[in-house]
Amino acid sequence: MNPDVFAGWLRLQGHTIIRTADSYWCDQGPRVYQAFPYHWLIDPPLAETAELFARHGVVGLRYSTPVHTPEGVTSYHVVYDEKAYSLDQLPKKARYDVRKALKSARVEPISFARLADEGWRLRYDTLMRQGREKAETAAWWRKLCLSAESLPGFEAWGVTVGTELAASLLAFTCDDCCSILYQQSSTAHLSLGVNNALAAVFTQEALQRDGVTRMFYGLHSLDAPTSVDEFKFRMGYTAKPVRQRVVFHPRLAPFFNPATHAVVKRLKGWWPDNATVAKTEGMLRFYLEGKRPLAEQTWPDVLRPLHIEPTDG
């Protein structure tokens, strides 16, 4: 499948999409756009971003770019790009959890309608565990799931315990990359290893398909806790060093400074459940950190043990 299908899915949800020479852009807030497909690394020329600001009234942009580019915060994509995937390569605890879940649960494709209906309970449980229960709504989730129903490249999978949906995911394949876009699970079934089984079985199945050579499990988040990615690394995925670039309109950029960031950080402390404030704080943090030399930046914990200088790819 190609990015136009993904763009169509976003439009069905009510998003505004802008196509440029280097990428596609989707609104993520008032006049703030993020590049997609999310696994792409781009380095748009100044003329392209200038047109976005001037012609479309954009205030801020966010995109992933190769690490050799001069600006951007040191970051990562969560990926799996080996030739094969098997339980044998996982840590002992992860292997145990997968096998335990598979003794009493089934991992299989499910309908988008089931993902929309039963999946919301799982989604809300997941948000609660992350301390982000107000970040999403049931109506938003239903629209997101059902918008994918008739589009090629999208698929929904679930883990069923008896007749109850215990975990689920939504994925999309673009180019040679299969991306797990959303994964959620029931807190009551978490100790059974349903998340582990779902990630392992789906990854293994997807990589056996013709044309699929890699998996994408998300990018370094602006506001989600690091525990979200720690689970993915235990399931055999790795952190691919990249830089995330946040760019603001040139006329407004002087107003996005350390003092502004300090104010937004204070607001985040006052309203920790406000998703908009959390995203804004993240954008400002990435923007300011991304202007510092690599050697002076605070690297994500997952990249520090690598003891490498980031290189493209």
Side-chain angles (χ1 to χ4, degrees), residues 58-290:
V58 173
V59 170
L61 299 169
R62 179 190 176 198
Y63 57 91
S64 294
T65 191
V67 292
H68 60 68
T69 51
E71 285 194 23
V73 64
T74 305
S75 185
Y76 59 86
H77 286 179
V78 182
V79 303
Y80 188 89
D81 54 7
E82 301 295 328
K83 292 183 178 180
Y85 182 94
S86 70
L87 293 185
D88 293 337
Q89 68 197 66
L90 300 182
K92 182 178 179 180
K93 179 64 165 59
R95 292 199 308 270
Y96 172 80
D97 288 339
V98 172
R99 288 168 177 154
K100 178 176 65 173
L102 293 178
K103 289 179 181 179
S104 57
R106 301 186 312 278
V107 180
E108 58 194 357
I110 61 173
S111 69
F112 291 103
R114 190 177 188 191
L115 182 67
D117 294 336
E118 297 179 49
W120 171 246
R121 172 179 53 83
L122 311 181
R123 188 71 191 164
Y124 188 73
D125 271 9
T126 302
L127 292 171
M128 286 282 288
R129 294 196 299 270
Q130 296 174 359
R132 301 191 301 148
E133 59 267 28
K134 294 184 180 180
E136 300 167 5
T137 66
W140 168 86
W141 175 253
R142 182 173 181 81
K143 191 171 187 178
L144 178 147
C145 296
L146 296 183
S147 294
E149 193 167 22
S150 60
L151 298 177
F154 283 93
E155 55 191 313
W157 282 62
V159 180
T160 305
V161 179
T163 60
E164 186 176 359
L165 191 65
S168 63
L169 64 78
L170 176 67
F172 177 71
T173 299
C174 176
D175 305 325
D176 66 333
C177 182
C178 180
S179 296
I180 299 176
L181 303 173
Y182 295 93
Q183 182 173 344
Q184 43 284 318
S185 60
S186 161
T187 300
H189 292 96
L190 201 60
S191 61
L192 186 62
V194 292
N195 261 338
N196 304 79
L198 181 58
V201 172
F202 180 74
T203 299
Q204 189 171 40
E205 198 280 339
L207 286 170
Q208 292 174 351
R209 302 171 186 170
D210 290 340
V212 175
T213 64
R214 53 189 170 135
M215 302 290 296
F216 177 83
Y217 213 163
L219 63 162
H220 185 193
S221 175
L222 290 172
D223 61 334
T226 56
S227 58
V228 172
D229 291 335
E230 288 169 359
F231 163 78
K232 302 169 185 176
F233 300 138
R234 290 196 298 271
M235 296 311 299
Y237 284 74
T238 59
K240 175 183 178 179
V242 301
R243 298 184 87 165
Q244 282 199 60
R245 183 102 192 265
V246 172
V247 185
F248 289 114
H249 192 293
R251 292 184 180 177
L252 299 175
F255 297 98
F256 299 109
N257 52 51
T260 307
H261 184 223
V263 171
V264 176
K265 282 181 68 176
R266 183 174 298 178
L267 293 176
K268 183 182 177 181
W270 291 343
W271 298 302
D273 294 333
N274 189 302
T276 300
V277 172
K279 295 285 186 187
T280 302
E281 188 279 327
M283 287 280 286
L284 283 168
R285 176 165 31 88
F286 276 33
Y287 170 71
L288 294 171
E289 186 76 1

